[in-house]
Amino acid sequence: MVMDNEAAMKAPVSFYGEEGRFKGIFSWIFSTNHKRIGIMYLVAILTFFSIGVILGILMRINLISPGKFISERTYNSLFTIHGVIQIFLFIIPGIPASLGNFFLPILIGSRDVAFPRINLMSWWFYMIGGAIVILSIFTGGGAPDTGWTFYAPYSIRTTANVSLALVGVIFLGFSSIFTGLNFITTIHRLRAPGMTFFRMPLFCWSLYATAWTQVLATPVLAITLLLIILERAFAIGFFEPTLGGDPILYEHMFWIYSHPAVYIMILPAMGIVTEIFPVFAKRTIFGYKAIAFSSLSIAFFGYLVWGHHMFTSGMSDTARVIFSLITFMVAVPTGVKVFNWIATLYKGSIQLDSPLIYSLTFIFLFSIAGLSGLIIGTLSLNLYLHGTYFIVGHFHYTMFGGAGFGFFAGLHYWYPKMTGRMYNEKTAKIAWLTIFIGFNILYFTMFILGLEGMPRRYFQYQPQFRTNHIISTVGSWILAAGLILMFGNFIRSLFRGEKAPMNPWGGKTLEWTIPSPPPAENFEKIPVIEHGPYKYE
Amino acid sequence: MTEKESQVQAIGPKAYIVVWLCLLALTATTVTVARLHLTAYAVIASIFIATAKAALVVTFFMHLRREPWILKIMLFLALLALTLIVLLTFSDVWIRYK
């Protein structure tokens, strides 16, 4: 199955040195190589992430002393653009488009994805969508101020530049659909000989489940946002109550996409930590099939719980009870995963390097996220907590603590393979500690604020909330310092890091059998697979 | 796997014509149902007819019949998810306006 060291040494030049039709920047932006596209996505995604972080910090600064630095209108725009960027430009494409693009074909023993040109088109759509969203901040009636959910009827009535931002989001949606289509076809058609579905690394299973969600759910978003644009332009009356429309229908359609989107964000992160645990515990994964099927069932049930975002919107009581019930069912496959990860570590020979530390943090933070999710999934409690900072705390623990930390774990795990360099492990650990402390100060305080009754998205607040807001803001600075340290470490290591060996962590999956960084076509000879991916015993 | 698939007999022109006639008949049924003034039930009827038409197109014109079982199961699950989504949304709207 594996290419031996000697063969790897003789392997062709890395994909960075590949000579194609174009030179310089064009050799990147017109490249159909999945690894180059993955790197381009990574750079773009992290750039947008940085912008989103800066906007978030500005919001937190306002909340130390409301009105001193930022006006009400600007604050509304800040949380809208922060949400749109972090959701649509960072966390949805985050793992699948960058690490997924780079590693999926390698992990299944393929030379590229099934549709390399569509892959490149997906990146272009992503960049065009991103550019349009950014453009909407500075043009027309000013930056959108609706919140990232674009709820009707306000999104229909506001004079802010909502239509342009929506066009941008529709482009981003199509980019996501293209990636999903590509991954489904790649996994069905391009697996190496002997690579059955149950011999695939579990990251591929999570990408597979994610891809189906991308393909099925994202078109609903596109059509919903298109209806808002039509409503704004022609006052048709889909969602505007004064014209006979139904604003709750908008919320249904929006969350039919946006709740499965949560699983588009979290499933790949779960896939990454599933790769990391066996490698750093030197043990075969516990319960391979249970993890694989739990990915599919999370994706499936993820379609059917969107109503828990709408418990206070005026939905029928029957629907509220049904949605609350199904919400609890999602916790079951998630619990299966957490159990299997811990069981994998049990009696393992644990190597506590930064990828594993980030993965363990993922479990810790995601468990808090999941348990707080059960609290607000309970209909009666939700009525009290809906629209408070408890929700903000919950979804930051889910999205950032879960998907974000999973992404960071993956970056640390695969950085040597992607760049051919090692990062400084000590700096990585210091950065992790800073991020972890800052994260919890910033977001755990939000749970307390929410329980005390602080409403989300408010520019002003009652004096009793001030201390917690200040603590939370200080947390945001610590978190930002940690992020700067982490990315600084990555950037510095690009130039000064030690050369990475082919397999620095002792991994057993296919990416560790080819040179770091990989050659343009990954494998000189397509490997023949004879056993499962985590053969440690 | 792929060789085995290609050995399965191709769908002949006769089958295509029969499917096409079925699609035409179903389109005619949709138009007829729309004229019967069945109120909300017309929507349900139209969705069922559209699903049947889509199933015919996917099975014969898009050759799902010759695909491996795993793809059939995945498509079925996808269809099931979409059906449940539509059902849940409709049931809420239905109950609210009753």
Side-chain angles (χ1 to χ4, degrees):
Chain A
M1 152 185 166
V2 296
M3 191 191 290
D4 59 31
N5 268 339
E6 200 182 317
M9 298 299 284
K10 285 187 214 156
V13 286
S14 86
F15 72 98
Y16 291 109
E18 178 194 15
E19 284 193 19
R21 283 171 62 194
F22 303 100
K23 295 235 177 294
I25 184 86
F26 296 106
S27 71
W28 283 86
I29 62 172
F30 294 131
S31 171
T32 53
N33 187 313
H34 69 101
K35 294 178 290 298
R36 286 193 173 221
I37 295 171
I39 296 279
M40 286 197 295
Y41 255 120
L42 187 64
V43 172
I45 282 165
L46 292 178
T47 307
F48 283 120
F49 172 65
S50 311
I51 296 171
V53 169
I54 292 168
L55 297 179
I57 289 173
L58 288 176
M59 281 154 63
R60 288 301 335 161
I61 288 175
N62 170 65
L63 289 167
I64 293 181
S65 185
K68 201 168 178 188
F69 310 104
I70 289 164
S71 71
E72 292 93 327
R73 175 65 206 270
T74 310
Y75 183 76
N76 289 351
S77 299
L78 277 180
F79 71 65
T80 303
I81 300 297
H82 169 80
V84 169
I85 288 179
Q86 299 295 52
I87 298 276
F88 293 112
L89 285 158
F90 168 57
I91 212 143
I92 288 180
I95 296 172
S98 60
L99 298 177
N101 244 325
F102 197 107
F103 286 103
L104 174 70
I106 302 178
L107 286 168
I108 61 168
S110 162
R111 295 197 197 282
D112 208 317
V113 290
F115 307 117
R117 286 182 181 148
I118 292 182
N119 204 13
L120 179 63
M121 187 161 79
S122 148
W123 181 79
W124 274 99
F125 267 52
Y126 172 81
M127 293 308 288
I128 292 168
I132 293 174
V133 168
I134 300 292
L135 193 67
S136 76
I137 304 174
F138 305 105
T139 53
D145 57 352
T146 56
W148 76 276
T149 50
F150 301 108
Y151 270 8
Y154 183 69
S155 58
I156 299 164
R157 294 174 188 168
T158 177
T159 54
N161 202 0
V162 169
S163 300
L164 192 63
L166 291 176
V167 171
V169 174
I170 291 172
F171 267 98
L172 295 172
F174 274 100
S175 151
S176 185
I177 294 169
F178 293 151
T179 303
L181 266 176
N182 228 332
F183 284 5
I184 292 173
T185 319
T186 305
I187 289 173
H188 273 284
R189 295 292 186 211
L190 296 186
R191 281 171 287 125
M195 175 73 82
T196 59
F197 262 79
F198 289 117
R199 283 182 186 165
M200 279 198 308
L202 284 157
F203 181 53
C204 305
W205 270 97
S206 71
L207 286 176
Y208 184 65
T210 307
W212 275 103
T213 313
Q214 285 175 301
V215 169
L216 286 177
T218 319
V220 183
L221 176 78
I223 192 67
T224 311
L225 300 185
L226 193 64
L227 291 179
I228 290 279
I229 295 173
L230 291 175
E231 189 95 319
R232 282 176 66 85
F234 306 112
I236 296 170
F238 297 118
F239 308 124
E240 172 62 62
T242 53
L243 297 169
D246 181 1
I248 300 177
L249 184 63
Y250 172 80
E251 294 192 24
H252 272 300
M253 293 176 72
F254 181 80
W255 288 112
I256 284 173
Y257 165 74
S258 295
H259 193 78
V262 172
Y263 299 98
I264 295 176
M265 304 170 203
I266 199 68
L267 275 170
M270 290 172 158
I272 286 175
V273 300
T274 314
E275 290 302 312
I276 290 172
F277 283 123
V279 175
F280 288 85
K282 298 283 173 283
R283 284 202 66 208
T284 307
I285 194 86
F286 183 86
Y288 176 97
K289 283 189 180 174
I291 296 181
F293 285 123
S294 66
S295 291
L296 289 183
S297 54
I298 288 174
F300 184 78
F301 283 116
Y303 280 115
L304 310 176
V305 297
W306 76 88
H308 66 217
H309 295 270
M310 303 164 52
F311 283 157
T312 59
S313 299
M315 195 169 53
S316 70
D317 285 344
T318 318
R320 292 200 298 181
V321 172
I322 293 170
F323 279 120
S324 183
L325 179 73
I326 309 175
T327 300
F328 283 97
M329 287 161 69
V330 184
V332 177
T334 311
V336 168
K337 276 190 191 291
V338 173
F339 178 82
N340 285 330
W341 293 328
I342 306 287
T344 303
L345 291 174
Y346 181 64
K347 287 190 177 173
S349 171
I350 291 174
Q351 181 188 337
L352 205 60
D353 286 330
S354 40
L356 183 65
I357 296 178
Y358 273 101
S359 302
L360 291 170
T361 317
F362 167 91
I363 294 187
F364 176 73
L365 297 177
F366 191 68
S367 297
I368 295 178
L371 294 172
S372 63
L374 290 180
I375 294 172
I376 46 180
T378 310
L379 184 52
S380 52
L381 287 172
N382 185 284
L383 299 182
Y384 173 71
L385 292 167
H386 194 95
T388 68
Y389 261 70
F390 195 91
I391 306 288
V392 185
H394 161 73
F395 72 68
H396 279 94
Y397 265 85
T398 318
M399 299 293 89
F400 195 172
F405 273 75
F407 187 37
F408 296 160
L411 281 180
H412 284 87
Y413 179 54
W414 280 316
Y415 182 90
K417 184 55 61 183
M418 286 194 290
T419 62
R421 301 278 175 174
M422 296 301 288
Y423 51 82
N424 185 308
E425 181 62 30
K426 198 175 163 190
T427 314
K429 281 179 179 156
I430 296 170
W432 163 79
L433 187 65
T434 320
I435 291 172
F436 181 70
I437 292 170
F439 178 93
N440 284 297
I441 295 176
L442 168 58
Y443 297 119
F444 200 82
T445 319
M446 291 186 182
F447 283 129
I448 300 165
L449 276 167
L451 285 171
E452 287 174 352
M454 171 74 207
R456 68 189 283 203
R457 292 180 172 163
Y458 273 37
F459 172 76
Q460 285 278 8
Y461 51 79
Q462 298 289 319
Q464 69 264 30
F465 300 126
R466 189 174 159 78
T467 311
N468 278 333
H469 271 302
I470 290 173
I471 292 172
S472 182
T473 303
V474 171
S476 75
W477 297 336
I478 300 172
L479 175 63
L483 290 173
I484 291 168
L485 194 59
M486 183 179 79
F487 289 121
N489 187 22
F490 283 150
I491 294 167
R492 184 183 176 278
S493 305
L494 273 182
F495 305 101
R496 299 203 183 161
E498 280 176 40
K499 273 197 178 282
M502 194 162 74
N503 189 0
W505 314 119
K508 298 281 186 186
T509 37
L510 286 176
E511 79 273 36
W512 305 116
T513 65
I514 57 173
S516 309
E521 296 208 320
N522 304 338
F523 303 95
E524 208 171 350
K525 200 175 157 219
I526 295 292
V528 175
I529 312 300
E530 284 156 5
H531 52 72
Y534 314 107
K535 202 172 163 50
Y536 282 99
E537 285 112 28
Chain B
M1 187 169 70
T2 44
E3 275 176 28
K4 200 177 164 189
E5 282 159 37
S6 59
Q7 283 165 7
V8 178
Q9 58 184 31
I11 300 166
K14 201 174 154 189
Y16 284 132
I17 291 168
V18 173
V19 172
W20 177 62
L21 289 173
C22 288
L23 290 172
L24 285 180
L26 286 167
T27 307
T29 319
T30 312
V31 176
T32 316
V33 167
R35 291 183 174 194
L36 291 178
H37 303 290
L38 296 174
T39 63
Y41 297 100
V43 177
I44 296 171
S46 300
I47 287 175
F48 271 105
I49 297 167
T51 310
K53 287 166 76 177
L56 284 175
V57 171
V58 170
T59 312
F60 293 97
F61 292 168
M62 296 174 80
H63 300 181
L64 182 66
R65 229 171 59 133
R66 294 191 297 170
E67 290 297 329
W69 61 270
I70 186 147
L71 199 60
K72 289 178 189 166
I73 289 180
M74 288 311 297
L75 278 177
F76 171 75
L77 285 176
L79 189 68
L80 183 67
L82 288 178
T83 311
L84 291 172
I85 286 171
V86 172
L87 271 180
L88 282 167
T89 312
F90 278 25
S91 64
D92 171 49
V93 176
W94 195 304
I95 293 165
R96 260 192 299 138
Y97 285 95
K98 235 180 179 179

